[in-house]
Amino acid sequence: MSLRLLSLPCEARALALKQLRAVPARSFWSSTASQAATKPSGPEIYDVVCVGGGPAGLSLLSALRSSKSTSHLKIALIEGQDLNKSQQQYGSITGYSNRCSSLTPGSVKFLTDIGAWQHVNASRVQPYHSMQVWDGVSGSSITFDPQPTRSAPYPGYPPTNTSSTIATMTENANLTSGLFTHLSTLPPIDIHSSTRVENIELGTETEEADLSSWPIVTLSSSKQLAARLLVGADGQNSPVRTFAGIPSRGWDYGRMGVVATMRLSSAPGGDARIAYQRFLPTGPVALLPLPGDMASLVWSTTPANAALLKLLPKEDFIAMVNAAFRLLPVDLAYMHTLSSGQAEEVAWREPNTSFSHMQVPPKVVDVQDGSVAPFPLKMRHADTYHGQRVALIGDAAHTIHPLAGQGLNQGLGDAAALASHIEKAVNVGWDVGSSWALEGYTAEQWIKNNAMLGVVDKLHKVYSAESGPVVWGRSLGLDLVDKLGGLKGWFMRQAAGGKRGRGHKAAWMPRLCGRILHLKQLKSYNIRPHINNRRGTVEANPLYLTPRSPVEVPQSSFQPIILSLNRTITPAPITI
Amino acid sequence: MATIRAVRPFALPAPVRQLILSSRPAFYSTASSPAPPPQSTVSETEVSHFSDLASSWWDPHGPSRILHLMNPLRHTFIQRCRSRHPDSASSEKLRYLDVGCGGGIFAESAARHPQTKSVTAIDPTPQVIAVAQKHQRTDPRLMEPGRLTYLNTAIENIPLPPTPEQGVDILTCFEVIEHIRHPRPFLAQLLPHVKPGGWLVMSTISRTWTSWFTTKLVAEDIMGIVPRGTHDWNQYINVEEMKAWADKLPGWGSPQSMGVIYVPGVGWREVRNSESWGNYFFAIKKDA
């Protein structure tokens, strides 16, 4: 209710406040609304206000600050967590965080170009050079080996780390810490750390200027910021997206991703590290290399299985992880019904199961205490990435199944694209919050992300089958792709995203297709791409009507602010 | 989209007839006519046409969309002109005079540009100046004193700079000349406002078959990208005519041009040597 309180006429506001007083005080509305209402001074004006200090938000701001054209912009960052404290916590961490991501070469290039990669702790990242993927039902497999580079001086030249890396594993905290350090070396931005967004609403027309198209962000510190461009890097339940009235569509997979930090008996693959992924009918299980003999586990499975895995004693959990890469799906299904004793079950089942020792990862010998955590898997895609003075990046714009490890990379891709479109807009004098500046961003990223979301979604569905023609078909397909080097290389390049660098001029053809397909998509929802939430024209576009009356705002619209900015409640998907 | 004028019969015969009947290019037609009174560089029908367009000027999907999309190329062209003549590419911030600013598409972008000191923008249509001023208020940066000034007036009423050095660095006149009945006296009035070393930057459309096909038949009649009646093909000026005019101007030189083409779905693209196909930019530099 308080979310829209300020836009109400005086009498209605008084009434609403009276009603609210009867309700037990909630921390997020507190007394700030009434303070702000009486505050005489106007909001402080910013060029870019970014809500959310995760990898996407921080990399966008790093990119803006490190470019000559955009380094002068007045920027504010709002983050629910204490960024300095997170920084210190990461500095004193023992072992590895369970929230890891696999960065494509394209993402690493972007981070290098903006100067942030050098601030990431290199001793805690692990590139891998080969990937072993196989079908848990049919046993069909595909091996992604390092691609021979054309620039090799002679055949058999040992692959260098940069040219043959499939991806680089890093803890998300290492990345955000590096980005944060990088930002501190650049012209300062106004950081509102451990601060929540209380309210976002459109500004008003005054003597000096007409801010009726500007989002005004009220912080928990009761400070008000007017945003020329409000960037929602605020996660899956993005309050910025809610404010802009941009619908996000998709579905829940009914699966949980179980993450954990594991110790292996040996480093997988030695110098040229290997990542492993096995498709089980309940979902893929993956083991991604971290430095030394450590590895990051992501196991997508049913909520019941996930709950059991979380509760299992240490040795049984370890046995289950080893079994997930070795035993038959039927054995696994049986062991998921036991509340303990999996270690003994695996001990006699494994010698009696045939599997390729070349295919499976080294044995897991330990799990880091307290690192086992489940999170729900879902697919979501916002209808558009921009509205009037609003842009969405990262999880605020899309959520993807982690099986291809693309989630964080998509977020970094958004940041790179948005930064380059803002740069272009500044250079030609466009208002960076205008549709002219932002529509190119949506056109460039939306179709790319939509294609990836679609492919990953179909992969999940195809590999959920336990028997029948779907299994034959997918096995035939996997075997074929494995044997056709050219096609496999193409797939790898798509996944690596290596071509997109900062300032890279996307080919016009995909951009045209992007524009057309995006418009077509919007047309099917019967909405206009431009989010028109100006007063006076909202009736024409009911879909973009931002709820203004207190009764129209459902209680649940409070939740996103808490959930998305307090990351300890919902860990963001860990991508592989 | 509002229909601007009563729908005319199919447009094909008009330009054909004009082409046959009038052998004199429109650009020179004023040479023999008596000197126009001060206000007459602006035609009344043009003023009413643009006042009808005013309400939709800043709608991103409205009839002025194509002009908004062209705007970045104007900056590209100005930067190119200045970089080709390093003596005019000083690091000092620039002063602009935008003549025929309409709803302020270029004036706003120039005023927002980091390299700009101030912009004065004029237009004879009161409604579009009102739109421009209303939109200016949506950006506090543009409301900074002296950054962007709109005047509802014609160039005749702008006082000349007291000394040539007090003229503007860049005088822009985008998509205006084709709406002017007597372009030569109009252009002559622009020249004294530019300081030595400064640029007069214009854009217009060539009077050719391709431009008639693209701007009249396709853009106005078939696809409706721009409102019907926006252009009068007979008032288009060819780049050769511009060059011939510029060559005879004492104290001016370094003519520059750039042809641009609008590809639906892709946007405006610079196409080399396409000046005679349709839209083009043209600039001349005042001798320092």
Side-chain angles (χ1 to χ4, degrees), chain A residues 137 253 255 279-284 401 457-467 470-471 474:
Chain A
V137 176
Y253 286 112
R255 293 284 190 276
F279 281 96
L280 296 167
T282 45
H401 192 293
D457 183 56
K458 302 314 173 274
L459 275 175
H460 165 79
K461 285 178 178 147
V462 164
Y463 277 96
S464 299
E466 290 184 60
S467 60
V470 176
V471 176
R474 77 189 186 203

Side-chain angles (χ1 to χ4, degrees), chain B residues 202-277:
Chain B
M202 295 168 277
S203 66
T204 187
I205 314 176
S206 282
R207 193 177 64 264
T208 58
W209 278 104
T210 46
S211 76
W212 174 79
F213 181 77
T214 54
T215 64
K216 293 301 290 184
L217 187 68
V218 176
E220 288 189 23
D221 295 332
I222 296 178
M223 292 188 77
I225 301 173
V226 296
R228 203 178 275 250
T230 295
H231 295 116
D232 183 349
W233 183 82
N234 293 294
Q235 292 184 192
Y236 291 2
I237 299 167
N238 290 337
V239 71
E240 297 79 23
E241 294 164 351
M242 283 293 238
K243 284 204 170 109
W245 166 77
D247 281 345
K248 288 180 193 155
L249 272 184
W252 290 79
S254 321
Q256 303 282 327
S257 65
M258 174 171 107
V260 294
I261 288 177
Y262 179 75
V263 186
V266 177
W268 288 95
R269 286 287 176 273
E270 180 189 351
V271 178
R272 268 168 185 276
N273 303 320
S274 70
E275 285 89 338
S276 58
W277 293 12

